[in-house]
Amino acid sequence: MVVKLVVAVRKDLDMGKGKIAAQVAHAAVSCAIKAMKEKKKIFDEWMDEGQKKIVVKVPNVDEIYIIKKKADSMGIINEVIQDRGYTQVEPGTVTCIGLGPDYEVYLDDITGKYKLL
Amino acid sequence: MVVKLVVAVRKDLDMGKGKIAAQVAHAAVSCAIKAMKEKKKIFDEWMDEGQKKIVVKVPNVDEIYIIKKKADSMGIINEVIQDRGYTQVEPGTVTCIGLGPDYEVYLDDITGKYKLL
């Protein structure tokens, strides 16, 4: 089964592409390290398969927490990322959520309905 | 001393912001995991300080390899990222290079001259 990591990014914030990339990278690193410790087998599969990653967009912060609630209930690793706020957004602003790495079939149940960023 | 991770992205490729974010995330995850194994003390400092990340832009693939050569000579962890090429770019296209995490003073010697993406 395919293993992937998904990052869902808020599209209601005025972030440039470098800012978005840094936030998504933050989510991916945090999730990957958590998975390495808590879901070693899935983490190894993900690395062996080439670290598949998908970036999707969600309308607002409420959607981030809806995703988090669903991921928590399914036992899927997730990390909500808050920006330090040096530039572009206010300190503490939630910018994105990372999910997985985990089996694609489970992740698609949570984020399959969102469009790619 | 501040520890950071830098990703230098090619600006001569026609990548959308989601694609860029996924490539930068790939570089960050690869570098972070390598650092965790090879430079544990610096990795721990980086995580404790909140995973500082900078994304800069470089003109072309030659610049990626100039950066790599300099990083290698300085003993700085680096990962050149090739896209799988499912979308937007040809398979195997080099999209970016990740550097560090390492001390800011060393990284700035390599990438300090490039503009933020």
Side-chain angles (χ1 to χ4, degrees):
Chain A
M1 290 202 291
V2 174
V3 176
K4 71 180 175 185
L5 181 148
V6 178
V7 183
V9 181
R10 286 175 63 183
K11 64 180 178 188
D12 61 328
L13 298 175
D14 191 23
M15 296 189 287
K17 54 191 172 185
K19 180 76 163 184
I20 291 172
Q23 300 295 312
V24 169
H26 198 122
V29 169
S30 298
C31 284
I33 287 167
K34 204 166 181 178
M36 185 192 263
K37 293 173 184 166
E38 298 176 11
K39 295 197 177 191
K40 187 71 170 66
K41 183 177 160 290
I42 287 175
F43 172 81
D44 288 343
E45 279 180 56
W46 181 63
M47 290 296 283
D48 289 347
E49 288 173 6
Q51 276 191 43
K52 184 173 181 183
K53 275 172 231 75
I54 300 292
V55 185
V56 299
K57 52 187 173 184
V58 297
N60 51 45
V61 71
D62 292 345
E63 202 76 16
I64 299 278
Y65 285 108
I66 290 168
I67 290 170
K68 178 172 176 50
K69 192 170 178 182
K70 195 157 185 182
D72 282 342
S73 76
M74 293 170 69
I76 296 203
I77 284 172
N78 63 86
E79 290 276 351
V80 173
I81 304 303
Q82 287 184 294
D83 189 62
R84 292 164 144 217
Y86 296 136
T87 55
Q88 298 182 33
V89 299
E90 288 298 307
T93 303
V94 168
T95 56
C96 61
I97 182 170
L99 302 163
D102 216 314
Y103 295 112
E104 189 160 48
V105 61
Y106 300 136
L107 290 171
D108 284 351
D109 187 41
I110 307 176
T111 60
K113 67 184 172 191
Y114 305 115
K115 287 192 177 157
L116 292 178
L117 179 68
Chain B
M1 290 204 291
V2 174
V3 176
K4 71 180 176 186
L5 182 148
V6 178
V7 183
V9 181
R10 284 176 64 183
K11 63 180 178 188
D12 61 328
L13 298 174
D14 191 22
M15 297 189 286
K17 53 192 172 183
K19 180 75 161 186
I20 291 173
Q23 300 295 312
V24 169
H26 198 122
V29 169
S30 298
C31 284
I33 288 167
K34 204 166 181 180
M36 186 191 262
K37 293 173 185 166
E38 298 175 11
K39 295 196 176 191
K40 187 70 169 67
K41 183 176 160 291
I42 287 175
F43 173 81
D44 287 343
E45 279 180 55
W46 180 63
M47 291 296 282
D48 289 346
E49 289 173 5
Q51 277 193 43
K52 184 174 181 182
K53 275 173 231 74
I54 300 293
V55 185
V56 299
K57 53 188 174 184
V58 297
N60 51 46
V61 70
D62 292 345
E63 202 75 17
I64 299 279
Y65 286 108
I66 290 168
I67 290 170
K68 179 173 175 51
K69 192 170 177 183
K70 196 156 184 185
D72 283 341
S73 75
M74 292 170 70
I76 294 197
I77 284 172
N78 63 86
E79 290 277 350
V80 173
I81 304 304
Q82 287 183 294
D83 190 63
R84 292 165 144 214
Y86 296 135
T87 55
Q88 299 183 31
V89 300
E90 290 297 307
T93 303
V94 169
T95 56
C96 62
I97 182 171
L99 303 162
D102 215 315
Y103 295 112
E104 189 159 50
V105 59
Y106 300 138
L107 290 171
D108 284 351
D109 187 41
I110 307 176
T111 60
K113 65 185 173 191
Y114 304 116
K115 287 194 178 156
L116 291 178
L117 178 69

